[in-house]
Amino acid sequence: MSSATTTAPESGHGHHHHNPEDRLALLKQIWMFSTDHKVIGIQFLVTTLLMLMVGGALALGVRWQLAFPWENMPFFGLLFPTEGGQISPEAYTMLFTMHATVMIFLVIIPVLAGAFGNFLIPLMIGADDMAFPILNALSYWFMWPAIFCFGASFFFGGGPGNGWTSYPVLSAVPEAAPGSGFAQFFWLMGVTLVGVSSMMGSVNYMTTIINMRAPGMTLFRMPLTIWGMFITAILQAFALPVLTAAGFMLVSDRMLGTCFFIPSGMVINNADPTVGGGQPLLWQHLFWFYSHPAVYIMLLPAMGMVSDMLACCCRKPIFGYKPMVYSMAAIAGLGFIVWGHHMFTSGMNPALGMTFMISTVMIALPSAVKVFNWIGTIWGGRPEFNTVFLNCVAFVSMFIVGGLSGIFMAAVPVDIYIHDTYFIVAHFHYVLFGATLFGVFGAVHFWFPKMFGRRMDETLGKWHFFLTFIGFNGTFFPMHLLGVAGMPRRYADPYLHPYLENLLPMNQFMTICACLMGFAQFILLFNFAYSLFKGQKAGMNPWLANGLEWVAPSPPGHGNFAAVPTVYRGPYEYSAPERDDDHWLQTEPPKSSPVPEPPKPEPTPDSAPVGEDTGSSS
Amino acid sequence: MSHAPAKPAVHMGLPLPNSKLGMWLFLGTEIMFFTAFIGTYIVLYFGSPGWPTDNNITHLKIWAGGTNTFVLLASSYFVVVAHEAMAAKNYKKAWNFLALTMTLAFLFLGIKGIEYKGKFDHHILPGQIPETSLQAIRQVEGKLEGYVNETTDRLVPGDDPVHIKLLNVSTEAGETKDPDKKRQLDDLGLITAEFNRFRAEVSANTLELEEAQQRIENLHHLAVVKLKDGREITGAYFPEEPPKDAHAGHGEAEGEAKHAHRRETGDVSLHRPEVAKETRLILESNSNTAEDGSVQVSHQWVVLSPGDVEEVHHVGEGVEHIHIQSVIPYGNLFASMYFLMTGFHAIHVLVGMTLFVFPLLRGSRLDASWADWVENSGLYWHFVDLVWIFLFPLLYIVPGNI
Amino acid sequence: MSEISHDTGSHAHDDTHHYVNYFLIFIALCICTGISVLFDVFKGGIPKSALVFGVMAVAVAKALFVMTYFMHLKFEGAWKFIILAPTAILAVGLMIALAPDMAMHYYTNDAPQVKWVGGEHAEEVAETEHSEHSEHQHEHGGH
Ligand code: HEM
Ligand SMILES: [Cu+2]
């Protein structure tokens, strides 16, 4: 398992990447049309980290307006010289729409599936690359037209102002939202393009995970990261086409005169009543049929990665591996039948409300199983309080807060009161930022050595973590209180309502915390760039972890492994009592039988006895 | 993937090549894509209080749909044969059958094109179908307004907005030296006057659909007729005998009489009276300004014999393309669904054809390395066929029967 | 399933030994298409629900023919169920879940197509509108 035998990268020189020039060569690859899954993963990572900053800036714009309504906005104000630096209500609407859009479609989904999915899947299952490398590269390069479309939507008619949910009829009739003309079109095209990108990714991941595992890597020896990625890919594959289809319908309602979502006889701006016959609620159904599974797409890979990191940090086997797998599958399955909980107040058929309430409460069960298993993993462990571990603990604890507020909202009577208030905003920021992003921060620190051969700086990492954690809770916890006090989301000036006036100081406090949090992200970026060149050198296995990726060199060369690894056990054999070593690599042959025993045929759902001498396959 | 280390000795996973597994997974996503469309269709169909089902109205052609089903099935069969031939290493045969498939794909698109043309010709287009008589009238009003504005803008020079230019049409006609242009401007003035009268009645809500239809037809026939006796009459000019069935019974003409009035109302009917063969009919309108300033318009039918007419100048030619569209309740939803589903299906046909182009381009160099390609694009093609198998009954046969 | 086990070694594309008379299948498909057109031709003589049931059954039959033979599913392993069963469940489930909300109405969606601020004629138009709708609904069988 010496790194010296690894295949050299395309450039043909340098095997170890231990000097800056090689890392520069690697960095250069980032901008080339590479089909290597690691390069594509890093491309995704860099892109999404930059988009994170963009999305964060947009959020600060929103926060400014809520804390200092109608005061000239710093930086953003420059974009609105006509209003003298003030932002208009339409611009405010655009800010929160684009904040959500950027964060969801350009940060969280691509950083999980695109960046870590790409980098980790082949490494963790012992494959040399993805099943379809060119498709993989395309899935990255489709991000750019999407980014272009979202960017373009800023500049046409004041930007899209329908929220990330883009409900018709507001979004379906160009005259309905003055100035939203082409912006909404570009926005929808952007969503479609990221959809195409995700689609290519997900078919690729599924094929790779099913068909390209190293010998001995049975389904139940796969790390939970892989399970998370696999289930996410399945969710994408079956939910996303519905959104794409709905998106096409909405575009054609706007541009081609169709009326899927436009009812008949609607009068806008005192114009003639529309011809129509469609139903606006249909969009909500189709949209959430994708977007509820999508919130799990935005979580499951992080759940998987955190499970792997926690087990490694605590030097303990993951608590309840199979329940973890089954609960992820249950979340995915149930995730398909709960979408209506976003529509409790939409006027949908009350019979559906009850059904969706029950299924939503049920989905909390597998989520809770996972939480208990993480706690069980930490319990009695010997964690070192490093950046990775801190971020993982933040993941678990913030997910508990977000999950609990979810259960509140799952109850129809409660939700009727808090729907579309800041309580909802608190909920999804606790799960999306509090859980997923802390998980991602942890993962960046954990796999950085594998990506670049160097560790990230611990001190900077801890500063980043604590400032983000404090800023995060300072920003989002008070949102629960605002929501219960009745502050609606998406209002440019809530203080027009006298009953909300007293919430201004709290909003100002939150904005200050948000600025702190935004500032902290620069530490992350700095640490990332700094460690790339100056970080402490890392060997093959800096964390003494068990997974297959740790038997490849850091960074792995083209083709990943010197020889095809053979897998003898699951990835969680930490502190095994029969061993002195506290870790036990998946590839280490059992002592008892020095000759590697042929791995058992794997229990695929396929009834055919696969795994027996299919060596001749192409 | 020549760079790859040696393939694993043990294949974990399914006994399938990656490409085939990937294609099947992709087809799974495609099923969900069309599920969204078909599901939308079904729920909107049931959710709509009505649906246009008469094929004479919707211009759905069962023969076209049925033939296309057959065409796709045949092409599916040819793909299978091509795939078989690939496996049997008979590449010539495979190529031929792929070419046949391709031909049928073109045929499918051709028939689809004929169907689409029928829809376009009858304006069965989403968003453009009036669902009530009021909408039909308002729509034609809008089109006429568009015509008047556009022509005015073109004929009257200057940068003024159209509504100012409109006021200057007659002045311009008086001033221009170019006789051609003068005639155009005069025509425009006449059409505008008719249009304004039409619009006034529309906004007063006094127009029934049938009347409006007659109005528009009269507008199409608007002409300036010079008579032998030197008189000049402007009005809807019908050189031929009106069709007997159309509006028989409305109004009447008194044999040789020059004037025909509708007795009941004292107002003249706009419908053409019945007259003897070989006569010319013209509807003359006169406007009088009443004491209170309001404009009263009266009409009279003038019956002429062919010998009376010296010269006819057709004014209404410019607007002959503007018709009142037939009213189809719920037609827009129908057209939306029809074009959405068949359109996306047609896009899939195009994608499938693109997939076949590559092996076809290999010509005689088609070889075993293309076997996977042919198999997978074949799978895709069968899927395209499957979609049509469901679209055909759902679109052409089921509506109106459930 | 037994076909598969001796198939795994060289699975690539040698399904030729599963001899299928594709031409027969094709003829069967053509007959099916003919039947669905006949349904339409004789629709006067058949109860409407039987007609719908008939054409949809024919469509399903055709789909099964294509999938089983043309797409070789008959000769594939159990993975076909793993991929297709959840897809089918989701596809049907989505439609069923949409039905109570979109297809059946517990409220009226019959918005009169008139200007809300219309003048004195607005009501009149609304009335004609309404009768037009209900008339249509009548001939449609009403659902
Ligand atoms: C215990 C599990 C969960 C339950 C019971 C739950 C429940 C809910 C409910 C009922 C709503 C709708 C509230 C409303 O609009 O009135 C909601 C909104 C939301 N949830 Fe969750 N949720 C859970 C977990 C998650 C997770 C894990 C994520 C993401 C990773 C998430 C992301 C969101 C988002 C983004 C929204 C708001 C969407 C919007 O309206 O813009 N939820 N959740
Ligand atoms: Cu949800």
Side-chain angles (χ1 to χ4, degrees), chain A residues 360-426:
Chain A
T360 305
V361 173
M362 266 162 56
I363 209 169
L365 298 177
S367 311
V369 168
K370 297 198 71 81
V371 167
F372 285 120
N373 283 359
W374 286 316
I375 295 175
T377 306
I378 300 171
W379 193 265
R382 302 175 272 122
E384 181 196 337
F385 281 81
N386 57 18
T387 314
V388 175
F389 181 73
L390 290 171
N391 276 297
C392 290
V393 172
F395 172 99
V396 177
S397 47
M398 296 299 97
F399 178 67
I400 294 175
V401 179
L404 286 178
S405 57
I407 298 174
F408 280 70
M409 298 159 0
V412 179
V414 182
D415 189 60
I416 286 175
Y417 178 64
I418 52 180
H419 173 71
D420 258 349
T421 67
Y422 262 79
F423 196 88
I424 285 25
V425 184

Side-chain angles (χ1 to χ4, degrees), chain B residues 298-319:
Chain B
S298 62
H299 307 282
Q300 55 185 347
W301 283 103
V302 182
V303 185
L304 307 162
S305 65
D308 296 342
V309 178
E310 162 125 20
E311 194 193 333
V312 180
H313 168 60
H314 284 287
V315 177
E317 271 171 354
V319 288

Side-chain angles (χ1 to χ4, degrees), chain A residues 453-475:
Chain A
R454 284 172 190 263
R455 282 165 175 261
M456 284 180 80
D457 190 89
E458 265 300 309
T459 319
L460 286 175
K462 286 203 175 103
W463 271 103
H464 168 252
F465 168 75
F466 282 113
L467 288 181
T468 310
F469 191 78
I470 294 167
F472 168 79
N473 281 293
T475 309

Side-chain angles (χ1 to χ4, degrees), chain A residues 128 199 211 257 272 564 610-611 614, chain B residues 4 6 10-11 13-14 16 18 127 138:
Chain A
D128 55 342
M199 222 47 240
N211 244 14
D272 277 351
V564 178
V610 289
T614 45
Chain B
V10 180
H11 178 73
L14 298 175
L16 292 177
N18 290 345
R138 294 297 286 262

Side-chain angles (χ1 to χ4, degrees), chain A residues 46-393:
Chain A
V46 173
T47 314
T48 48
L49 285 181
L50 291 179
M51 286 300 144
L52 179 70
M53 303 310 277
V54 174
L58 291 166
L60 288 182
V62 172
R63 286 290 349 148
W64 176 272
Q65 167 70 12
L66 287 175
F68 311 105
W70 311 124
E71 280 175 43
N72 292 355
M73 192 181 278
F75 310 118
F76 275 105
L78 299 178
L79 292 174
F80 308 102
T82 42
E83 281 98 34
Q86 238 185 24
I87 60 159
S88 60
E90 290 82 9
Y92 175 82
T93 314
M94 187 216 32
L95 282 179
F96 71 67
T97 301
M98 289 311 290
H99 161 66
T101 308
V102 169
M103 287 304 195
I104 289 169
F105 294 112
L106 299 181
V107 178
I108 295 197
I109 294 180
V111 81
L112 292 175
F116 286 101
N118 253 308
F119 189 83
L120 294 177
I121 289 174
L123 277 170
M124 283 185 153
I125 64 171
D128 55 342
D129 203 332
M130 287 285 179
F132 311 113
I134 296 180
L135 197 67
N136 202 19
L138 280 177
S139 95
Y140 173 71
W141 290 107
F142 261 80
M143 290 293 290
W144 282 102
I147 293 173
F148 170 81
C149 279
F150 286 137
S153 71
F154 270 96
F155 298 105
F156 284 91
N162 299 306
W164 82 282
T165 50
S166 204
Y167 281 3
V169 288
L170 189 62
S171 61
V173 186
E175 304 84 55
S180 79
F182 261 99
Q184 185 64 17
F185 168 74
F186 274 112
W187 186 88
L188 283 165
M189 285 332 284
V191 173
T192 307
L193 286 166
V194 281
V196 171
S197 159
S198 299
M199 222 47 240
M200 296 196 275
S202 83
V203 169
N204 207 349
Y205 300 166
M206 286 190 287
T207 312
T208 308
I209 295 173
I210 294 176
N211 244 14
M212 299 200 34
R213 280 164 287 138
M217 179 62 88
T218 58
L219 289 181
F220 285 114
R221 283 180 187 168
M222 295 199 310
L224 287 169
T225 303
I226 299 299
W227 272 110
M229 297 289 176
F230 187 46
I231 293 172
T232 299
I234 296 174
L235 283 176
Q236 295 256 37
F238 292 106
L240 190 54
V242 175
L243 179 75
T244 311
F248 281 130
M249 289 192 253
L250 191 52
V251 169
S252 87
D253 272 7
R254 289 184 70 84
M255 315 291 288
L256 304 176
T258 57
C259 54
F260 305 107
F261 306 124
I262 304 176
S264 62
M266 191 178 54
V267 176
I268 299 159
N269 291 348
N270 207 11
D272 277 351
T274 56
V275 294
Q279 301 191 38
L281 263 191
L282 179 61
W283 166 266
Q284 298 194 20
H285 277 292
L286 296 178
F287 179 84
W288 289 114
F289 181 83
Y290 164 72
S291 290
H292 183 81
V295 305
Y296 288 103
I297 289 167
M298 295 183 251
L299 186 69
L300 288 178
M303 284 180 158
M305 295 193 296
V306 165
S307 309
D308 280 358
M309 290 186 279
L310 270 183
C312 175
C313 290
C314 299
R315 317 308 298 166
K316 272 186 67 188
I318 191 81
F319 188 91
Y321 171 83
K322 282 201 178 173
M324 287 293 235
V325 174
Y326 293 139
S327 55
M328 268 203 256
I331 288 176
L334 286 170
F336 271 115
I337 54 168
V338 299
W339 76 83
H341 64 219
H342 297 275
M343 301 169 60
F344 284 152
T345 62
S346 69
M348 69 173 173
N349 195 324
L352 280 177
M354 176 64 113
T355 320
F356 281 124
M357 172 166 116
I358 293 170
S359 59
T360 305
V361 173
M362 266 162 56
I363 209 169
L365 298 177
S367 311
V369 168
K370 297 198 71 81
V371 167
F372 285 120
N373 283 359
W374 286 316
I375 295 175
T377 306
I378 300 171
W379 193 265
R382 302 175 272 122
E384 181 196 337
F385 281 81
N386 57 18
T387 314
V388 175
F389 181 73
L390 290 171
N391 276 297
C392 290
V393 172

